[in-house]
Amino acid sequence: MNHSVLWADIGLLATAVVWGAAFAVLKDTLNTFQPMTLLAVRFALAAMILSMIFIRRVSRMRWVDLKAGFIVGFLLFLGFIAQTYGLVYTTAGKNAFLTTTYVVVVPFMGWVLTRRFPGFHAFLSAGLCIAGVGFLTLGGEGVGGFNKGDALTLLCAVFYSAQLMSIDHYAKRMDPILLAVTQMVAMVVFCGIFAIPFETWPTDISVRGLMGMAYLVLFATVLAFAVQMTAQRHSPPTHVSLILSTESFFGALTGVVFLGERFTGKMTLGAAFVFGAILVAEVLPRWVRQTTET
């Protein structure tokens, strides 16, 4: 493994930790801000900060860069909407694991787009994932079994898969920082369209709510997206998705530690099935290739 790939992997793992913790932070911050308002403010501040840091690169932005960012940003918008509203109705831990099912979706989406058969391991991975989702959503306590929050979270996994594929397409063709900034601008536009007429600004913003917003802006958005865009120039989308999928573990952990959420035995088994599906999707084909080559 060369140094570029190694540093990319380290950066992606750090991003997974930050995003994992963001599940609990986001759920807590939703007590202060309504979903669309939270997302609009989060990405507006993040876009301004990144633009100020990389003012020279942003000043060279072309129309084609803005167009690419709005395509990626629209897919991100759909994913965030489904995930954020899903988090209103389900737990942070379940939301984290169900979100990472996008890793299983990526090979099938690639099959549709490139007409390359993903391999039989993809179907095994899908089967494990479906079983894991069943245990996770039907074994929960206090969330009514499978609920609309779980359904929305599964839908967000599909949108995140499409966004990951679009990043892979554009990140190798343009400045990754410009891609990060333009997709954030797109998020502000799309979220603002719904937030302004349908939501109200909170009348009482607590210190906890401000701290939550600060974490989401500085760490879970500015730092994490800049690292993801840069790292994905050195790693294929399936490799990226495997590392980022560990956010599910960190998301469930922070939900238990900071929000007092409880994982039942069935939910733990479901989480193990989902993570097993991720390993089958990413590790098994590499192991087979190495075995046949030797």
mmCIF file of all heavy atoms in Angstrom, residues 117-153:
data_model
loop_
_atom_site.group_PDB
_atom_site.id
_atom_site.type_symbol
_atom_site.label_atom_id
_atom_site.label_comp_id
_atom_site.label_asym_id
_atom_site.label_seq_id
_atom_site.Cartn_x
_atom_site.Cartn_y
_atom_site.Cartn_z
ATOM 1 N N PHE A 117 -21.376 -7.202 -13.877
ATOM 2 C CA PHE A 117 -21.971 -8.081 -12.869
ATOM 3 C C PHE A 117 -21.183 -7.969 -11.567
ATOM 4 O O PHE A 117 -19.950 -8.106 -11.564
ATOM 5 C CB PHE A 117 -21.956 -9.520 -13.368
ATOM 6 C CG PHE A 117 -22.588 -10.504 -12.416
ATOM 7 C CD1 PHE A 117 -23.930 -10.406 -12.094
ATOM 8 C CD2 PHE A 117 -21.826 -11.513 -11.838
ATOM 9 C CE1 PHE A 117 -24.517 -11.311 -11.219
ATOM 10 C CE2 PHE A 117 -22.408 -12.421 -10.959
ATOM 11 C CZ PHE A 117 -23.763 -12.325 -10.659
ATOM 12 N N PRO A 118 -21.844 -7.689 -10.439
ATOM 13 C CA PRO A 118 -21.131 -7.456 -9.179
ATOM 14 C C PRO A 118 -20.559 -8.715 -8.540
ATOM 15 O O PRO A 118 -19.791 -8.629 -7.583
ATOM 16 C CB PRO A 118 -22.208 -6.842 -8.283
ATOM 17 C CG PRO A 118 -23.484 -7.411 -8.789
ATOM 18 C CD PRO A 118 -23.300 -7.536 -10.287
ATOM 19 N N GLY A 119 -20.932 -9.887 -9.031
ATOM 20 C CA GLY A 119 -20.455 -11.134 -8.440
ATOM 21 C C GLY A 119 -21.486 -11.734 -7.500
ATOM 22 O O GLY A 119 -22.338 -11.022 -6.953
ATOM 23 N N PHE A 120 -21.399 -13.031 -7.308
ATOM 24 C CA PHE A 120 -22.380 -13.710 -6.464
ATOM 25 C C PHE A 120 -22.240 -13.311 -4.996
ATOM 26 O O PHE A 120 -23.189 -13.426 -4.215
ATOM 27 C CB PHE A 120 -22.246 -15.228 -6.617
ATOM 28 C CG PHE A 120 -22.685 -15.719 -7.968
ATOM 29 C CD1 PHE A 120 -21.745 -16.081 -8.926
ATOM 30 C CD2 PHE A 120 -24.036 -15.792 -8.293
ATOM 31 C CE1 PHE A 120 -22.147 -16.533 -10.181
ATOM 32 C CE2 PHE A 120 -24.450 -16.236 -9.542
ATOM 33 C CZ PHE A 120 -23.503 -16.599 -10.489
ATOM 34 N N HIS A 121 -21.027 -12.845 -4.609
ATOM 35 C CA HIS A 121 -20.842 -12.409 -3.225
ATOM 36 C C HIS A 121 -21.765 -11.230 -2.895
ATOM 37 O O HIS A 121 -22.158 -11.051 -1.747
ATOM 38 C CB HIS A 121 -19.377 -12.009 -2.991
ATOM 39 C CG HIS A 121 -18.972 -10.782 -3.741
ATOM 40 N ND1 HIS A 121 -18.546 -10.815 -5.056
ATOM 41 C CD2 HIS A 121 -18.962 -9.479 -3.367
ATOM 42 C CE1 HIS A 121 -18.276 -9.591 -5.454
ATOM 43 N NE2 HIS A 121 -18.515 -8.770 -4.462
ATOM 44 N N ALA A 122 -22.116 -10.431 -3.906
ATOM 45 C CA ALA A 122 -23.001 -9.285 -3.679
ATOM 46 C C ALA A 122 -24.389 -9.745 -3.250
ATOM 47 O O ALA A 122 -25.041 -9.109 -2.414
ATOM 48 C CB ALA A 122 -23.097 -8.430 -4.941
ATOM 49 N N PHE A 123 -24.835 -10.872 -3.810
ATOM 50 C CA PHE A 123 -26.144 -11.404 -3.444
ATOM 51 C C PHE A 123 -26.108 -12.004 -2.039
ATOM 52 O O PHE A 123 -27.077 -11.884 -1.279
ATOM 53 C CB PHE A 123 -26.587 -12.445 -4.469
ATOM 54 C CG PHE A 123 -26.896 -11.863 -5.820
ATOM 55 C CD1 PHE A 123 -25.913 -11.744 -6.787
ATOM 56 C CD2 PHE A 123 -28.169 -11.405 -6.118
ATOM 57 C CE1 PHE A 123 -26.191 -11.199 -8.030
ATOM 58 C CE2 PHE A 123 -28.461 -10.848 -7.357
ATOM 59 C CZ PHE A 123 -27.461 -10.743 -8.312
ATOM 60 N N LEU A 124 -24.987 -12.664 -1.695
ATOM 61 C CA LEU A 124 -24.822 -13.172 -0.333
ATOM 62 C C LEU A 124 -24.820 -12.013 0.655
ATOM 63 O O LEU A 124 -25.462 -12.083 1.715
ATOM 64 C CB LEU A 124 -23.516 -13.965 -0.226
ATOM 65 C CG LEU A 124 -23.122 -14.439 1.185
ATOM 66 C CD1 LEU A 124 -24.190 -15.355 1.771
ATOM 67 C CD2 LEU A 124 -21.762 -15.158 1.136
ATOM 68 N N SER A 125 -24.110 -10.954 0.294
ATOM 69 C CA SER A 125 -24.057 -9.772 1.144
ATOM 70 C C SER A 125 -25.452 -9.167 1.310
ATOM 71 O O SER A 125 -25.842 -8.780 2.418
ATOM 72 C CB SER A 125 -23.110 -8.737 0.527
ATOM 73 O OG SER A 125 -23.131 -7.532 1.254
ATOM 74 N N ALA A 126 -26.213 -9.096 0.229
ATOM 75 C CA ALA A 126 -27.568 -8.546 0.290
ATOM 76 C C ALA A 126 -28.462 -9.376 1.205
ATOM 77 O O ALA A 126 -29.269 -8.838 1.972
ATOM 78 C CB ALA A 126 -28.164 -8.464 -1.104
ATOM 79 N N GLY A 127 -28.320 -10.716 1.135
ATOM 80 C CA GLY A 127 -29.105 -11.594 1.992
ATOM 81 C C GLY A 127 -28.795 -11.376 3.464
ATOM 82 O O GLY A 127 -29.715 -11.307 4.303
ATOM 83 N N LEU A 128 -27.508 -11.281 3.786
ATOM 84 C CA LEU A 128 -27.109 -11.013 5.174
ATOM 85 C C LEU A 128 -27.635 -9.664 5.630
ATOM 86 O O LEU A 128 -28.089 -9.504 6.771
ATOM 87 C CB LEU A 128 -25.582 -11.044 5.292
ATOM 88 C CG LEU A 128 -24.903 -12.407 5.191
ATOM 89 C CD1 LEU A 128 -23.379 -12.238 5.106
ATOM 90 C CD2 LEU A 128 -25.268 -13.274 6.399
ATOM 91 N N CYS A 129 -27.581 -8.696 4.723
ATOM 92 C CA CYS A 129 -28.039 -7.351 5.063
ATOM 93 C C CYS A 129 -29.537 -7.329 5.351
ATOM 94 O O CYS A 129 -29.977 -6.710 6.318
ATOM 95 C CB CYS A 129 -27.704 -6.398 3.915
ATOM 96 S SG CYS A 129 -28.107 -4.672 4.253
ATOM 97 N N ILE A 130 -30.299 -8.013 4.530
ATOM 98 C CA ILE A 130 -31.754 -8.063 4.735
ATOM 99 C C ILE A 130 -32.085 -8.713 6.075
ATOM 100 O O ILE A 130 -32.947 -8.244 6.832
ATOM 101 C CB ILE A 130 -32.430 -8.833 3.580
ATOM 102 C CG1 ILE A 130 -32.318 -8.011 2.281
ATOM 103 C CG2 ILE A 130 -33.897 -9.115 3.901
ATOM 104 C CD1 ILE A 130 -32.764 -8.758 1.047
ATOM 105 N N ALA A 131 -31.364 -9.815 6.401
ATOM 106 C CA ALA A 131 -31.575 -10.480 7.687
ATOM 107 C C ALA A 131 -31.218 -9.537 8.834
ATOM 108 O O ALA A 131 -31.936 -9.451 9.834
ATOM 109 C CB ALA A 131 -30.733 -11.752 7.760
ATOM 110 N N GLY A 132 -30.093 -8.812 8.675
ATOM 111 C CA GLY A 132 -29.671 -7.888 9.718
ATOM 112 C C GLY A 132 -30.663 -6.761 9.926
ATOM 113 O O GLY A 132 -30.968 -6.389 11.064
ATOM 114 N N VAL A 133 -31.181 -6.232 8.823
ATOM 115 C CA VAL A 133 -32.179 -5.158 8.919
ATOM 116 C C VAL A 133 -33.427 -5.662 9.637
ATOM 117 O O VAL A 133 -34.028 -4.961 10.460
ATOM 118 C CB VAL A 133 -32.537 -4.625 7.512
ATOM 119 C CG1 VAL A 133 -33.770 -3.724 7.572
ATOM 120 C CG2 VAL A 133 -31.357 -3.859 6.925
ATOM 121 N N GLY A 134 -33.797 -6.909 9.356
ATOM 122 C CA GLY A 134 -34.958 -7.493 10.015
ATOM 123 C C GLY A 134 -34.783 -7.569 11.520
ATOM 124 O O GLY A 134 -35.663 -7.153 12.286
ATOM 125 N N PHE A 135 -33.628 -8.080 11.965
ATOM 126 C CA PHE A 135 -33.358 -8.171 13.401
ATOM 127 C C PHE A 135 -33.275 -6.788 14.042
ATOM 128 O O PHE A 135 -33.753 -6.579 15.155
ATOM 129 C CB PHE A 135 -32.045 -8.932 13.660
ATOM 130 C CG PHE A 135 -32.190 -10.424 13.566
ATOM 131 C CD1 PHE A 135 -31.502 -11.144 12.600
ATOM 132 C CD2 PHE A 135 -33.007 -11.116 14.443
ATOM 133 C CE1 PHE A 135 -31.635 -12.517 12.500
ATOM 134 C CE2 PHE A 135 -33.148 -12.498 14.366
ATOM 135 C CZ PHE A 135 -32.459 -13.200 13.387
ATOM 136 N N LEU A 136 -32.659 -5.846 13.335
ATOM 137 C CA LEU A 136 -32.506 -4.499 13.878
ATOM 138 C C LEU A 136 -33.840 -3.793 14.074
ATOM 139 O O LEU A 136 -34.104 -3.186 15.113
ATOM 140 C CB LEU A 136 -31.626 -3.656 12.944
ATOM 141 C CG LEU A 136 -30.127 -3.575 13.228
ATOM 142 C CD1 LEU A 136 -29.429 -2.856 12.084
ATOM 143 C CD2 LEU A 136 -29.852 -2.868 14.550
ATOM 144 N N THR A 137 -34.682 -3.879 13.074
ATOM 145 C CA THR A 137 -35.919 -3.096 13.088
ATOM 146 C C THR A 137 -37.056 -3.795 13.825
ATOM 147 O O THR A 137 -37.938 -3.130 14.371
ATOM 148 C CB THR A 137 -36.382 -2.783 11.655
ATOM 149 O OG1 THR A 137 -36.548 -4.005 10.927
ATOM 150 C CG2 THR A 137 -35.348 -1.926 10.941
ATOM 151 N N LEU A 138 -37.040 -5.126 13.855
ATOM 152 C CA LEU A 138 -38.119 -5.847 14.529
ATOM 153 C C LEU A 138 -37.786 -6.197 15.969
ATOM 154 O O LEU A 138 -38.630 -6.664 16.710
ATOM 155 C CB LEU A 138 -38.462 -7.125 13.758
ATOM 156 C CG LEU A 138 -38.935 -6.903 12.316
ATOM 157 C CD1 LEU A 138 -39.217 -8.238 11.643
ATOM 158 C CD2 LEU A 138 -40.164 -6.017 12.276
ATOM 159 N N GLY A 139 -36.518 -5.954 16.356
ATOM 160 C CA GLY A 139 -36.101 -6.315 17.710
ATOM 161 C C GLY A 139 -35.918 -5.132 18.628
ATOM 162 O O GLY A 139 -35.351 -5.247 19.702
ATOM 163 N N GLY A 140 -36.379 -3.961 18.180
ATOM 164 C CA GLY A 140 -36.170 -2.756 18.973
ATOM 165 C C GLY A 140 -37.162 -2.609 20.102
ATOM 166 O O GLY A 140 -38.261 -3.139 20.067
ATOM 167 N N GLU A 141 -36.759 -1.883 21.102
ATOM 168 C CA GLU A 141 -37.637 -1.575 22.221
ATOM 169 C C GLU A 141 -37.914 -0.079 22.246
ATOM 170 O O GLU A 141 -37.032 0.737 22.045
ATOM 171 C CB GLU A 141 -36.980 -1.984 23.547
ATOM 172 C CG GLU A 141 -36.871 -3.503 23.732
ATOM 173 C CD GLU A 141 -36.301 -3.856 25.100
ATOM 174 O OE1 GLU A 141 -35.933 -2.920 25.832
ATOM 175 O OE2 GLU A 141 -36.245 -5.035 25.441
ATOM 176 N N GLY A 142 -39.159 0.276 22.485
ATOM 177 C CA GLY A 142 -39.493 1.686 22.623
ATOM 178 C C GLY A 142 -39.606 2.442 21.308
ATOM 179 O O GLY A 142 -39.785 3.635 21.300
ATOM 180 N N VAL A 143 -39.466 1.751 20.149
ATOM 181 C CA VAL A 143 -39.557 2.441 18.868
ATOM 182 C C VAL A 143 -40.579 1.771 17.956
ATOM 183 O O VAL A 143 -40.639 2.023 16.770
ATOM 184 C CB VAL A 143 -38.181 2.506 18.162
ATOM 185 C CG1 VAL A 143 -37.258 3.451 18.886
ATOM 186 C CG2 VAL A 143 -37.559 1.116 18.068
ATOM 187 N N GLY A 144 -41.396 0.862 18.527
ATOM 188 C CA GLY A 144 -42.497 0.286 17.768
ATOM 189 C C GLY A 144 -42.091 -0.667 16.666
ATOM 190 O O GLY A 144 -42.760 -0.752 15.649
ATOM 191 N N GLY A 145 -41.002 -1.428 16.866
ATOM 192 C CA GLY A 145 -40.563 -2.348 15.814
ATOM 193 C C GLY A 145 -40.150 -1.578 14.572
ATOM 194 O O GLY A 145 -39.528 -0.528 14.657
ATOM 195 N N PHE A 146 -40.522 -2.101 13.399
ATOM 196 C CA PHE A 146 -40.191 -1.412 12.149
ATOM 197 C C PHE A 146 -41.125 -0.216 12.000
ATOM 198 O O PHE A 146 -42.338 -0.356 11.958
ATOM 199 C CB PHE A 146 -40.352 -2.368 10.963
ATOM 200 C CG PHE A 146 -39.924 -1.745 9.657
ATOM 201 C CD1 PHE A 146 -38.591 -1.682 9.321
ATOM 202 C CD2 PHE A 146 -40.861 -1.224 8.778
ATOM 203 C CE1 PHE A 146 -38.182 -1.113 8.123
ATOM 204 C CE2 PHE A 146 -40.468 -0.655 7.581
ATOM 205 C CZ PHE A 146 -39.131 -0.598 7.250
ATOM 206 N N ASN A 147 -40.555 0.979 11.946
ATOM 207 C CA ASN A 147 -41.366 2.193 11.887
ATOM 208 C C ASN A 147 -40.968 3.044 10.693
ATOM 209 O O ASN A 147 -40.048 2.705 9.947
ATOM 210 C CB ASN A 147 -41.237 2.972 13.199
ATOM 211 C CG ASN A 147 -39.786 3.287 13.527
ATOM 212 O OD1 ASN A 147 -39.087 3.909 12.738
ATOM 213 N ND2 ASN A 147 -39.328 2.831 14.692
ATOM 214 N N LYS A 148 -41.638 4.181 10.528
ATOM 215 C CA LYS A 148 -41.365 5.018 9.367
ATOM 216 C C LYS A 148 -39.974 5.638 9.425
ATOM 217 O O LYS A 148 -39.389 5.964 8.378
ATOM 218 C CB LYS A 148 -42.416 6.109 9.231
ATOM 219 C CG LYS A 148 -42.569 7.047 10.421
ATOM 220 C CD LYS A 148 -43.697 8.034 10.164
ATOM 221 C CE LYS A 148 -43.955 8.946 11.352
ATOM 222 N NZ LYS A 148 -45.077 9.880 11.102
ATOM 223 N N GLY A 149 -39.419 5.753 10.631
ATOM 224 C CA GLY A 149 -38.049 6.235 10.750
ATOM 225 C C GLY A 149 -37.061 5.252 10.142
ATOM 226 O O GLY A 149 -36.101 5.637 9.468
ATOM 227 N N ASP A 150 -37.302 3.953 10.378
ATOM 228 C CA ASP A 150 -36.454 2.914 9.790
ATOM 229 C C ASP A 150 -36.585 2.906 8.267
ATOM 230 O O ASP A 150 -35.602 2.751 7.541
ATOM 231 C CB ASP A 150 -36.832 1.539 10.351
ATOM 232 C CG ASP A 150 -36.650 1.460 11.861
ATOM 233 O OD1 ASP A 150 -35.779 2.174 12.387
ATOM 234 O OD2 ASP A 150 -37.395 0.704 12.507
ATOM 235 N N ALA A 151 -37.816 3.044 7.780
ATOM 236 C CA ALA A 151 -38.060 3.040 6.331
ATOM 237 C C ALA A 151 -37.369 4.225 5.659
ATOM 238 O O ALA A 151 -36.738 4.080 4.604
ATOM 239 C CB ALA A 151 -39.564 3.073 6.051
ATOM 240 N N LEU A 152 -37.459 5.389 6.276
ATOM 241 C CA LEU A 152 -36.799 6.572 5.731
ATOM 242 C C LEU A 152 -35.283 6.405 5.727
ATOM 243 O O LEU A 152 -34.595 6.829 4.791
ATOM 244 C CB LEU A 152 -37.189 7.815 6.542
ATOM 245 C CG LEU A 152 -38.593 8.359 6.299
ATOM 246 C CD1 LEU A 152 -38.947 9.413 7.356
ATOM 247 C CD2 LEU A 152 -38.701 8.959 4.903
ATOM 248 N N THR A 153 -34.748 5.770 6.771
ATOM 249 C CA THR A 153 -33.308 5.561 6.850
ATOM 250 C C THR A 153 -32.832 4.607 5.758
ATOM 251 O O THR A 153 -31.761 4.812 5.160
ATOM 252 C CB THR A 153 -32.918 5.008 8.230
ATOM 253 O OG1 THR A 153 -33.449 5.858 9.252
ATOM 254 C CG2 THR A 153 -31.403 4.963 8.382
#
